[in-house]
Amino acid sequence: MFKLIRKDLLLALSNKFYLISTLLFAPLLLFFMDFQVNEKIIVIIIYGMSFFLLSLSFYYVDKLKPEVLIQSLPIRKREIVLSKYMLVFLCYLIGVIYVSILFKVAEFLGYSITANLNISIIKITLPLVIIHQSIILPISFGISDRLANSIGTGLLVFINNFYLMHDFERTSRMLLNSSNRFSVALIVILIFVLSIIVSITIYKNKDLP
Amino acid sequence: MLEVRNLTKKFEKFSLDNISFKLEPGYIMGFIGPNGAGKSTTIKLIMNLLKKDSGEIKVFGMDNVKYEKEIKQRIGFVYEEPYYYENLTLRQMKNIIAPFYTEWDDKQFTKYIGDFGLDLDKKIKELSKGMKTKFSLALALSHNADLIIMDEPTSGLDPVFRREILDILYNIIQDEKKSIFFSTHITTDLEKIADYITFIDKGKIVFSKSIDEVFDSYRVVKGGNDLLDWHIRQEFIGLRTTKVGFEGLTDNPEKFQKILGDQIIVERASLEDIMFYTIRG
């Protein structure tokens, strides 16, 4: 399974234009905000970074359908699916680390960052990223990467506009409220597991073109 | 080595109907048929890229779905259309594929890359079709595979390189534990190297026999058009008439010789003759 993750990371690194665009997303956003960032902006950055990083490796849209090649290698279909779900956490982690480094660099350059990357931000962004990928991964395995990527982008714009930009207080309250904490965690885990089961079932029965 | 029994797969406009054949270790089997006959579908089913409706596929004596991972460790594959990540270099692609094989032999790979005149730092999208096939072949032959499965590997390649591929395959088969399953519609390639021929048409197996048996079974009969009457025409598997005479395929040349004597010429049929007349009728 780690070989598959390695493969996805290699693919991500090979797509230089998209990689640079992804890496530029956070600094450009910070620049346009004049480095006046609050928790809301950090959440948007981490959520966006995770999605773009995952898109790099997940949605390698190619005319020649390399899925045939991957499925011809000595790997079980279940492993192919599970590796993608593991990559969600890895890309999230890379996104968080990248943003932390970026903030340190900005501070070093004399910009004052007004908000901190703290545990509350993790508690908001991790469920968002998990649910987001839990929705689009079965589409990617069942229908096409291209469609999954389009739906993923639409979902990112929708959540950013309606839940983060305009209603951040309510969204963060709902995710951070101690009385909700257990049920939120349970729902997120349930959606994630259900998504894995659906993806494995679809992928095992899928005919390649 | 490879056993396909009563394999069925239905699509909207095409179905693979109850096909069976067997390939023993140490032999090359040519899988022939016209375009759209079901060759690639059969190979995809063997590789578990398609889900079969019914039937059984055993590779190395193991079920191809249940033991997919173990089986694919020992299979080298070459597809007609190379399904690679086009933006990667050959080296990057090799670095993705090699770790999946426990018996990957880097020395062997480097040797093939050198022999085939490939540049590891070139991007896959910069390669010609022939170069891509050479790269596929180098990957397929570098992990000590016992079964090489090839789907139309020589299609669209020049005769020189096709001959080179055949020589490589011939050398592989000197190891009696290895087998090659080779689909093609360029039948002249198979006449040089195949031990067995499986002929598929419209999703059905026409025959699966040793190449000697195939050549012993069929003959091309030639003669003047005046010899043809309704009864004679019915005796042919396939028949073609021109202004100068007729040419037909039969699996019973003795009967023609008995009826028409020395008015006809009976010749050895090539695989192409067999395929052409069987399909055309």
Side-chain angles (χ1 to χ4, degrees):
Chain A
M1 203 159 2
F2 293 104
K3 292 166 202 160
L4 285 165
I5 294 174
R6 185 176 162 274
K7 182 254 318 172
D8 285 331
L9 293 177
L10 270 172
L11 287 180
L13 292 173
S14 76
N15 198 342
K16 298 276 185 308
F17 174 74
Y18 199 13
L19 179 68
I20 292 167
S21 311
T22 302
L23 294 178
L24 281 177
F25 163 70
L28 282 178
L29 196 63
L30 287 178
F31 181 76
F32 286 123
M33 305 293 296
D34 205 18
F35 292 88
Q36 298 302 304
V37 287
N38 53 22
E39 279 200 343
K40 182 162 70 178
I41 300 300
I42 302 178
V43 166
I44 290 172
I45 291 175
I46 292 179
Y47 178 37
M49 278 297 295
S50 302
F51 173 69
F52 294 134
L53 281 171
L54 280 158
S55 302
L56 271 175
S57 51
F58 279 29
Y59 309 117
Y60 192 91
V61 182
D62 200 314
K63 284 180 282 182
L64 291 174
K65 303 177 187 76
E67 215 179 334
V68 171
L69 168 85
I70 298 303
Q71 283 206 21
S72 298
L73 295 172
I75 325 159
R76 289 194 175 85
K77 287 179 179 150
R78 190 181 61 230
E79 290 176 87
I80 297 175
V81 174
L82 289 176
S83 77
K84 297 286 184 194
Y85 280 86
M86 278 175 68
L87 201 63
V88 172
F89 295 102
L90 188 65
C91 285
Y92 175 77
L93 191 68
I94 293 171
V96 170
I97 293 170
Y98 177 69
V99 172
S100 322
I101 293 170
L102 206 64
F103 283 7
K104 293 281 175 218
V105 172
E107 276 173 1
F108 179 75
L109 293 173
Y111 294 101
S112 97
I113 303 285
T114 47
N116 282 323
L117 190 65
N118 54 40
I119 194 77
S120 310
I121 288 171
I122 306 289
K123 281 179 187 171
I124 299 168
T125 49
L126 190 57
L128 271 178
V129 171
I130 291 175
I131 291 172
H132 187 115
Q133 293 301 328
S134 298
I135 294 168
I136 62 170
L137 277 177
I139 301 167
S140 168
F141 284 114
I143 305 170
S144 80
D145 290 344
R146 203 184 287 267
L147 180 67
N149 205 18
S150 306
I151 291 174
T153 310
L155 206 58
L156 182 81
V157 172
F158 177 79
I159 291 175
N160 273 340
N161 277 342
F162 292 96
Y163 290 95
L164 299 180
M165 291 301 275
H166 296 118
D167 215 355
F168 182 72
E169 295 307 320
R170 202 159 68 94
T171 309
S172 60
R173 245 199 334 270
M174 184 191 76
L175 292 167
L176 296 174
N177 190 332
S178 56
S179 58
N180 278 350
R181 199 179 298 162
F182 181 71
S183 49
V184 167
L186 196 71
I187 290 168
V188 170
I189 292 169
L190 204 71
I191 291 173
F192 191 65
V193 171
L194 203 69
S195 173
I196 293 176
I197 293 168
V198 170
S199 290
I200 290 176
T201 311
I202 291 172
Y203 203 55
K204 269 189 173 174
N205 293 298
K206 187 182 173 185
D207 281 346
L208 287 186
Chain B
M1 181 66 78
L2 170 65
E3 191 177 2
V4 173
R5 220 185 295 162
N6 306 323
L7 182 64
T8 303
K9 172 76 183 173
K10 283 190 171 61
F11 297 99
E12 208 177 301
K13 289 178 181 167
F14 171 78
S15 61
L16 209 59
D17 190 10
N18 209 28
I19 72 164
S20 302
F21 57 85
K22 196 175 178 182
L23 171 63
E24 297 291 351
Y27 294 105
I28 298 179
M29 179 178 276
F31 193 40
I32 62 168
N35 290 332
K39 300 190 296 293
S40 294
T41 303
T42 306
I43 286 178
K44 281 181 179 166
L45 284 160
I46 293 169
M47 293 301 288
N48 197 25
L49 305 178
L50 294 177
K51 201 172 154 54
K52 65 187 176 219
D53 293 336
S54 63
E56 202 177 19
I57 301 170
K58 283 191 170 178
V59 188
F60 313 119
M62 295 181 278
D63 182 86
N64 78 320
V65 178
K66 202 171 168 191
Y67 297 97
E68 182 176 13
K69 195 173 175 176
E70 294 79 357
I71 285 169
K72 286 180 180 172
Q73 271 296 346
R74 296 167 63 190
I75 292 181
F77 58 87
V78 178
Y79 297 132
E80 181 188 9
E81 191 183 5
Y83 296 96
Y84 296 124
Y85 297 99
E86 296 274 297
N87 275 332
L88 301 188
T89 62
L90 302 191
R91 191 186 306 280
Q92 286 171 320
M93 197 68 231
K94 187 271 287 186
N95 287 341
I96 284 178
I97 290 175
F100 287 98
Y101 293 101
T102 50
E103 290 202 37
W104 180 264
D105 185 344
D106 224 36
K107 238 188 215 168
Q108 183 83 297
F109 176 75
T110 312
K111 184 190 166 292
Y112 279 121
I113 289 294
D115 290 351
F116 295 160
L118 296 168
D119 176 0
L120 282 175
D121 296 316
K122 244 191 175 172
K123 283 197 172 184
I124 289 165
K125 65 181 172 193
E126 292 166 7
L127 301 183
S128 65
K129 188 175 188 283
M131 289 294 203
K132 282 181 190 171
T133 305
K134 282 181 180 180
F135 180 56
S136 293
L137 206 59
L139 289 169
L141 301 177
S142 299
H143 58 92
N144 203 18
D146 291 321
L147 174 63
I148 311 286
I149 293 181
M150 302 199 290
D151 188 9
E152 304 271 5
T154 53
S155 152
L157 301 179
D158 65 74
V160 177
F161 182 50
R162 270 172 40 213
R163 194 61 189 255
E164 275 175 45
I165 289 191
L166 299 182
D167 288 344
I168 293 163
L169 299 182
Y170 190 76
N171 285 333
I172 293 168
I173 216 69
Q174 300 313 307
D175 179 346
E176 289 179 359
K177 282 182 279 178
K178 297 187 190 293
S179 297
I180 296 168
F181 185 71
F182 181 171
S183 102
T184 185
H185 56 263
I186 306 171
T187 49
T188 46
D189 289 346
L190 292 174
E191 287 178 15
K192 294 185 185 97
I193 57 160
D195 302 296
Y196 289 90
I197 299 291
T198 296
F199 179 15
I200 186 170
D201 185 33
K202 296 185 188 98
K204 287 190 170 99
I205 296 290
V206 180
F207 60 73
S208 185
K209 296 174 181 176
S210 76
I211 197 149
D212 295 335
E213 241 181 297
V214 173
F215 286 137
D216 286 346
S217 306
Y218 296 96
R219 288 287 181 272
V220 169
V221 178
K222 291 177 179 175
N225 286 334
D226 55 313
L227 299 172
L228 288 175
D229 59 23
W230 187 85
H231 291 286
I232 296 284
R233 282 175 182 271
Q234 295 311 304
E235 293 300 325
F236 285 107
I237 293 168
L239 180 70
R240 184 171 71 99
T241 54
T242 61
K243 282 179 186 166
V244 289
F246 75 84
E247 193 178 297
L249 184 77
T250 178
D251 55 2
N252 192 359
E254 295 81 14
K255 193 167 184 177
F256 283 96
Q257 273 168 330
K258 206 171 156 187
I259 303 168
L260 301 169
D262 56 6
Q263 299 178 85
I264 54 167
I265 301 166
V266 178
E267 287 176 353
R268 179 183 179 272
S270 66
L271 280 176
E272 194 174 306
D273 293 329
I274 296 166
M275 202 162 99
F276 172 76
Y277 287 110
T278 307
I279 293 161
R280 211 182 83 148

